[in-house]
């Protein structure tokens, strides 16, 4: 019987059974290499690499290059709807009960943004009806897009978009495209007026100055990555005081060369500094990771028990863009699982 505080890192099955919440996962990266190969054959496109080596990268720039190649195969609303359904099923199989999933219309050149987002939302709705993870959408602007395009997206999301849309994101390689500028300040202000949560990728391919810029110009509720905040004590203090959550993705950062391994990742020092941190997979199929696997690696590295997994999961609930009633329901689901573990531990203690 697994207990909450067993004194050792929990096993993968105990972590998988724990009801988890994920806030930093990209729908386009929930596509398997086998499915990509099928789509390439369907559209008569030569494979960029053999399927078995498609998901091998050494840098963020290389990853994004391959990412854009396979996203070009996502050409119809039907493909989008099924991808969303399959992603929700994958997440639920890993014990995820709720996820806020990022999608980047810029990576779907064959579809207009409105039909794309509607198709993804429909896939998530169908999946939830079938008992899979409750997935919500956070569409993302890319840094190279115009403020006019972004404002059009936000106005549509806030007035006519699917109810499963809960937030607005921003992505793009800061090293190549530059750090966050005031270009999207009005866009993010309008998103807040329309009730959308605000997040952005920052502090991954840039240093702590990239996080400062994103906070200053976009007034974020949370930050995707943000790990290089660890290099600036003043920024750490700011994040802790304002309770701005960092949605970190340890294995992803290792694969793209930011850290040599999870043991050298900033996740532990960030938590020690009082910054709210959540654990996430980022790109599940594209990087061969799961949220349970991420928790297992972090637990091994930091000496976590299931109590720490619980704490990180509750931080994710508190940082989620869902309404209070749904957040309360997620906490109740965690409560029920914890109570079951505690009762099992008591039975074990009384029946040695």
């Amino acid at each position: 019987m697994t207990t909450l505080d067993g004194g050792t890192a929990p096993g993968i099955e105990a972590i998988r059974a724990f009801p988890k919440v994920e806030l930093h996962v990209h729908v386009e990266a929930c596509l398997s290499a086998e499915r990509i190969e099928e789509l390439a054959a369907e559209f008569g496109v030569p494979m960029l690499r053999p399927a078995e080596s498609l998901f091998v990268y050494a840098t963020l720039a290389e990853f994004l290059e391959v990412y854009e190649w396979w996203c070009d195969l996502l050409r119809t609303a039907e493909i989008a709807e099924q991808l969303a359904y399959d992603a929700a099923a994958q997440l639920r199989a890993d014990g995820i009960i709720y996820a806020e999933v990022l999608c980047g219309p810029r990576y779907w050149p064959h579809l207009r943004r409105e039909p794309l987002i509607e198709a993804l939302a429909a896939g998530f709705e169908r999946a939830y009806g079938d008992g899979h993870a409750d997935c919500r959408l956070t569409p993302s602007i890319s840094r190279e897009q115009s403020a006019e395009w972004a404002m059009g997206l936000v106005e549509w999301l806030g007035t006519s978009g699917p109810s499963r849309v809960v937030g607005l994101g921003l992505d793009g390689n800061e090293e190549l495209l530059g750090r966050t500028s005031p270009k999207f300040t009005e866009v993010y202000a309008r998103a807040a007026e329309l009730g959308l949560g605000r997040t952005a990728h920052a502090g991954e391919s840039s240093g702590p100055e990239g996080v400062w810029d994103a906070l200053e110009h976009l007034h974020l509720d949370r930050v995707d990555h943000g790990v290089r905040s660890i290099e600036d004590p003043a920024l750490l203090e700011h994040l802790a005081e304002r309770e701005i959550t960092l949605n970190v993705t340890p294995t992803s950062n290792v694969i793209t060369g930011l850290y040599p391994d999870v043991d050298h990742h900033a996740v532990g020092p960030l938590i020690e500094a009082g910054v709210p941190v959540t654990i996430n997979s980022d790109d599940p199929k594209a990087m061969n990771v799961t949220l349970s696997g991420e928790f297992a690696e972090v637990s091994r590295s930091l000496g976590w028990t299931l109590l720490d997994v619980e704490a990180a999961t509750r931080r994710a609930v508190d940082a989620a863009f869902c309404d209070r009633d749904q957040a309360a329901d997620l906490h109740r689901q965690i409560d029920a699982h914890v109570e079951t573990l505690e009762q099992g531990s008591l039975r074990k203690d009384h029946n040695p």
Side-chain angles (χ1 to χ4, degrees):
M1 171 64 67
T2 300
T3 60
L4 278 173
D5 190 5
T8 59
I12 188 70
E13 292 305 322
I15 294 172
R16 187 172 291 118
F18 200 94
K20 295 177 294 298
V21 171
E22 181 154 29
L23 303 180
H24 184 171
V25 55
H26 295 263
V27 70
E28 298 89 355
C30 292
L31 198 67
S32 69
E34 293 75 19
R35 179 59 177 146
I36 291 171
E37 192 170 40
E38 290 175 2
L39 291 172
E42 179 180 342
F43 295 118
V45 176
M47 286 290 287
L48 182 68
R49 305 171 180 171
E52 59 269 19
S53 60
L54 184 63
F55 296 152
V56 178
Y57 345 86
T59 65
L60 177 62
E62 183 184 6
F63 166 69
L64 291 173
E65 178 184 357
V66 180
Y67 191 93
E68 290 198 36
W69 176 82
W70 83 65
C71 284
D72 184 65
L73 300 172
L74 304 174
R75 299 185 178 185
T76 69
E78 291 75 19
I79 290 172
E81 197 267 354
Q82 190 61 46
L83 173 57
Y85 184 96
D86 293 344
Q90 291 167 24
L91 296 177
R92 188 65 189 93
D94 191 42
I96 295 166
I97 55 174
Y98 176 89
E100 292 179 1
V101 183
L102 294 152
C103 69
R106 175 247 186 268
Y107 297 103
W108 297 71
H110 302 277
L111 285 174
R112 291 186 298 112
R113 64 195 180 199
E114 292 87 354
L116 164 65
I117 292 168
E118 288 171 340
L120 292 171
F124 286 143
E125 188 69 31
R126 180 164 67 92
Y128 181 62
D130 287 346
H132 299 307
D134 186 355
C135 292
R136 305 303 168 115
L137 269 173
T138 302
S140 286
I141 307 161
S142 288
R143 283 185 165 84
E144 69 269 31
Q145 291 178 301
S146 71
E148 292 75 19
W149 185 95
M151 186 64 84
L153 171 66
V154 166
E155 291 289 356
W156 178 75
L157 291 175
T159 57
S160 305
S163 60
R164 284 196 171 270
V165 174
V166 294
L168 179 70
L170 177 71
D171 62 25
N173 190 338
E174 296 168 278
E175 187 176 19
L176 297 178
L177 301 172
R179 304 200 309 265
T180 305
S181 73
K183 178 168 69 169
F184 298 119
T185 298
E186 292 184 8
V187 174
Y188 266 69
R190 182 59 176 149
E193 291 174 356
L194 292 169
L196 296 171
R198 296 162 295 176
T199 188
H201 285 57
E204 178 191 21
S205 53
S206 69
E209 65 278 0
V211 179
W212 278 122
D213 287 347
L215 295 175
E216 176 185 356
H217 298 311
L218 307 181
H219 305 287
L220 300 176
D221 301 303
R222 63 191 196 216
V223 179
D224 292 318
H225 295 299
V227 289
R228 293 189 62 189
S229 302
I230 198 65
E231 301 167 22
D232 185 342
L235 178 54
L236 292 177
E237 184 177 352
H238 179 83
L239 293 169
E241 287 183 353
R242 302 293 181 89
E243 297 184 334
I244 298 170
T245 300
L246 303 185
N247 295 326
V248 306
T249 63
T251 296
S252 169
N253 294 155
V254 171
I255 288 172
T256 56
L258 189 56
Y259 296 99
D261 51 49
V262 171
D263 291 340
H264 289 86
H265 196 276
V267 57
L270 286 167
I271 293 171
E272 290 175 6
V275 178
V277 168
T278 68
I279 308 298
N280 306 270
S281 67
D282 197 359
D283 302 295
K285 292 295 186 183
M287 292 188 172
N288 192 31
V289 298
T290 63
L291 182 56
S292 293
E294 289 295 273
F295 269 119
E297 265 297 281
V298 172
S299 297
R300 177 201 59 76
S301 179
L302 300 181
W304 279 13
T305 68
L306 272 183
L307 282 173
D308 299 291
V309 173
E310 177 192 358
T313 301
R314 291 193 187 276
R315 288 195 296 270
V317 175
D318 293 340
F321 295 149
C322 59
D323 61 35
R324 291 183 179 181
D325 288 344
Q326 180 152 32
D329 180 65
L330 293 171
H331 277 301
R332 282 193 293 270
Q333 292 185 62
I334 297 169
D335 291 341
H337 188 77
V338 168
E339 183 178 357
T340 298
L341 291 176
E342 290 173 341
Q343 289 176 349
S345 179
L346 286 172
R347 285 196 298 270
K348 182 179 178 182
D349 291 341
H350 284 88
N351 297 281

